[in-house]
Amino acid sequence: MLPIFLIKDVILLSQAAAAGNKGDEVNKFTLAALAGVPLIMVLGNSMLIPVLPKMAKSLGVSQMQISLIITLFSVPAGLVIPIAGFLSDRFGRKKVIIPGLFLYALGGLLAGAAALLFKENAFPWILGGRVIQGIGAAGTAPIAMAFCGDLWKGKDRAKSLGVIEASNGMGKVSSPILGSLVGLIAWWAIFFFFPIVIAVVILGVWFLTREPEAQKEPKGVKQYIGSIKKIFKKKSPLLLSSFFAGSVALLILFGVLFYLSDYLETKFGMDGVLKGAALAIPVLFMSITSYITGALIKKQVELMKWLVVIGHGLIAASLVTLPLFNNVYAFFAGISSAGIGTGLVLPCLNTLITSSTDKDERGLVTSLYGSVRFLGVAAGPPLFGWLVGIGPDIIFWASAGLAVVAAVLAFFFIKVKALKASQEDGNKQAKEKQAKKPWLTRWRSRPSSITAWPGGPGLLLWPVNRCLLPGGEMRVDR
């Protein structure tokens, strides 16, 4: 029995650590657990890209058919993300994230088992597994963003969202290389790799995160839709311009990576791990910039607005100059600069969007944003593939034009004064709610743990009550 009790003590201590989220400082263990969630979502497509040709050959399908492996993950995820946001607002973030991760793992197991059992006839089953994975992925990264918005405020919120975006970026950097390495075992081995990584993330989210107490009763569907309409009526210029800026940044990034993959293979004969490493360069710049930006922006709304504008301006300037140079080093410098611009844009948009809504509506708003981002990622490669047929230069000029439009919209519609007023109102309401609570309102009893009998042999057990005090401190009553 002793190990069971010890496990319970570990759970209690992890809950106590997670309860510290309600303070001002970011709990590193909680943030690490949440950062694993977007990492999992990114692996879903990027790890498979290096092994798609081998998969198509083994299953006897065309390149067009094998592209459904990506499409039937991305489209269900994009469609289900808003529903996942609604459910997370109503029932809690963890109650959506953890089942979503389970579905993601289940889809991977189904696809991998089908590949082993049905061999060349496994393609329909693999597609079914990918649909399940996409539905599960809908409850991951966008809900983790909303969770960060619930747990932290001000500069700590910006810092946490910067880490979330950096984790997303590092997943994009590492997944092509990781996919190439796991693919050396067999192309279907990647499907079994997903559940292994997901199990670790599920344990982290389960034990190291704790949701804030709900301040209000959950809203019904009609109330919920009404409140969302009210939000967009008041803040539609900010939200729509931010949604557009985020989707354009990722559309361009993944479109460029798609073009670069073909460019490296046809012009330089790069393939496998070497090509994956080359593709990772611009995303690495994006990831590092995202982390630094998230740490620096804090509560500075005006700085966030200007970084969104400057970031898209840098993307446009980098892309418009690429056709002018017929040099591989200049090409990589240009796309790396575009990666830096993307790294400036995304953490600022994450913070602006999560800070512009109340906790009760934050899940759906961030999920809508996540859905738009996901569809931007899905649209980039086919759009760039279509533009290649028109002419290689038009790819970069059209992308630069999109970035300029996003920068102009952000400049005119991200209103600094309105956002500052919204932040001040939120802080004022939070202080008023805190002032109404006695110091021990959030006292939570934890009975039936164990300790050694005072002064006696260690094998004698004595029941204790552990009480969780504000700030996550533990008090023990014998």
Side-chain angles (χ1 to χ4, degrees):
M1 293 295 291
L2 185 58
I4 296 174
F5 285 119
L6 290 175
I7 290 170
K8 185 174 180 182
D9 281 353
V10 171
I11 295 172
L12 289 173
L13 290 173
S14 66
Q15 289 176 334
N21 297 332
K22 296 175 184 178
D24 292 331
E25 294 184 359
V26 172
N27 184 303
K28 293 180 181 178
F29 295 105
T30 300
L31 184 55
L34 290 177
V37 177
L39 179 64
I40 290 297
M41 188 179 81
V42 169
L43 296 179
N45 278 336
S46 303
M47 272 193 73
L48 288 167
I49 289 174
V51 301
L52 287 179
K54 191 185 296 184
M55 192 186 302
K57 186 176 179 181
S58 298
L59 296 172
V61 297
S62 67
Q63 288 297 317
M64 182 63 185
Q65 288 174 310
I66 205 66
S67 69
L68 293 174
I69 296 288
I70 304 300
T71 303
L72 291 183
F73 177 90
S74 302
V75 173
L79 295 176
V80 176
I81 280 173
I83 300 171
F86 167 74
L87 294 175
S88 78
D89 280 340
R90 185 167 177 81
F91 301 109
R93 312 301 184 205
K94 288 174 71 170
K95 290 178 182 177
V96 172
I97 290 175
I98 291 175
L101 290 171
F102 270 114
L103 276 177
Y104 201 138
L106 179 64
L109 288 173
L110 175 62
L116 285 176
L117 294 173
F118 301 120
K119 307 295 183 182
E120 65 274 4
N121 299 317
F123 188 58
W125 292 93
I126 293 174
L127 292 181
R130 291 294 286 165
V131 171
I132 294 172
Q133 283 192 302
I135 293 170
T140 55
I143 312 302
M145 285 173 55
F147 206 163
C148 288
D150 298 341
L151 294 173
W152 297 291
K153 294 180 174 62
K155 64 180 182 180
D156 291 318
R157 178 182 289 166
K159 179 180 178 182
S160 68
L161 290 169
V163 171
I164 293 292
E165 195 60 60
S167 174
N168 189 306
M170 288 306 294
K172 293 183 178 76
V173 171
S174 60
S175 52
I177 302 171
L178 191 58
S180 297
L181 291 173
V182 176
L184 294 176
I185 303 170
W187 60 264
W188 44 259
I190 295 175
F191 292 119
F192 292 107
F193 180 80
F194 292 138
I196 295 171
V197 181
I198 288 168
V200 177
V201 177
I202 287 175
L203 291 173
V205 174
W206 185 280
F207 290 119
L208 298 177
T209 66
R210 187 187 187 92
E211 297 198 58
E213 294 177 4
Q215 300 295 329
K216 301 176 183 178
E217 289 294 320
K219 295 181 179 179
V221 176
K222 289 183 179 179
Q223 276 184 300
Y224 199 86
I225 297 298
S227 64
I228 296 300
K229 286 181 179 178
K230 186 177 178 181
I231 289 172
F232 274 90
K233 187 175 181 180
K234 290 171 59 178
K235 300 178 180 179
S236 59
L238 165 68
L239 293 176
L240 294 178
S241 60
S242 298
F243 285 11
F244 182 75
S247 63
V248 165
L250 288 171
L251 182 152
I252 291 172
L253 177 68
F254 277 83
V256 167
L257 290 176
F258 173 79
Y259 173 81
L260 183 60
S261 177
D262 182 67
Y263 176 79
L264 292 174
E265 192 165 331
T266 55
K267 189 161 185 176
F268 301 103
M270 286 188 186
D271 200 3
V273 177
L274 182 61
K275 185 173 79 171
L279 289 171
I281 292 173
V283 190
L284 178 63
F285 278 96
M286 183 200 77
S287 180
I288 294 171
T289 308
S290 292
Y291 181 79
I292 295 171
T293 303
L296 294 178
I297 53 178
K298 299 179 181 179
K299 294 190 292 184
Q300 302 177 66
V301 176
E302 188 168 2
L303 176 61
M304 294 180 209
K305 171 181 176 173
W306 280 109
L307 287 179
V308 172
V309 175
I310 292 169
H312 270 295
L314 182 59
I315 292 171
S318 302
L319 294 177
V320 80
T321 57
L322 283 180
L324 305 178
F325 301 100
N326 190 21
N327 181 285
V328 66
Y329 299 107
F331 187 86
F332 270 97
I335 61 172
S336 298
S337 297
I340 292 171
T342 306
L344 292 174
V345 168
L346 295 180
C348 297
L349 292 176
N350 293 348
T351 305
L352 288 170
I353 289 168
T354 55
S355 301
S356 66
T357 56
D358 295 330
K359 176 184 177 297
D360 296 330
E361 292 89 17
R362 188 173 293 135
L364 182 55
V365 172
T366 55
S367 293
L368 288 171
Y369 174 53
S371 181
V372 169
R373 281 177 49 143
F374 221 106
L375 294 174
V377 170
L383 179 61
F384 271 57
W386 174 66
L387 290 173
V388 165
I390 300 174
D393 293 350
I394 197 68
I395 295 175
F396 302 110
W397 292 336
S399 302
L402 271 177
V404 169
V405 171
V408 171
L409 291 175
F411 178 79
F412 284 107
F413 293 115
I414 297 178
K415 304 290 185 182
V416 174
K417 290 183 180 179
L419 283 167
K420 285 183 177 178
S422 177
Q423 283 184 345
E424 289 171 1
D425 289 343
N427 292 337
K428 185 179 178 181
Q429 290 174 9
K431 288 178 181 178
E432 288 175 354
K433 287 177 183 177
Q434 189 67 27
K436 292 177 182 177
K437 292 184 177 181
W439 187 69
L440 291 180
T441 297
R442 290 173 50 220
W443 184 297
R444 303 187 67 172
S445 295
R446 297 283 179 182
S448 71
S449 188
I450 63 165
T451 187
W453 183 284
L459 294 177
L460 294 176
L461 304 181
W462 182 258
V464 299
N465 283 335
R466 277 184 170 83
C467 298
L468 197 60
L469 302 180
E473 298 177 1
M474 299 293 293
R475 166 177 161 177
V476 179
D477 292 333
R478 291 186 176 87

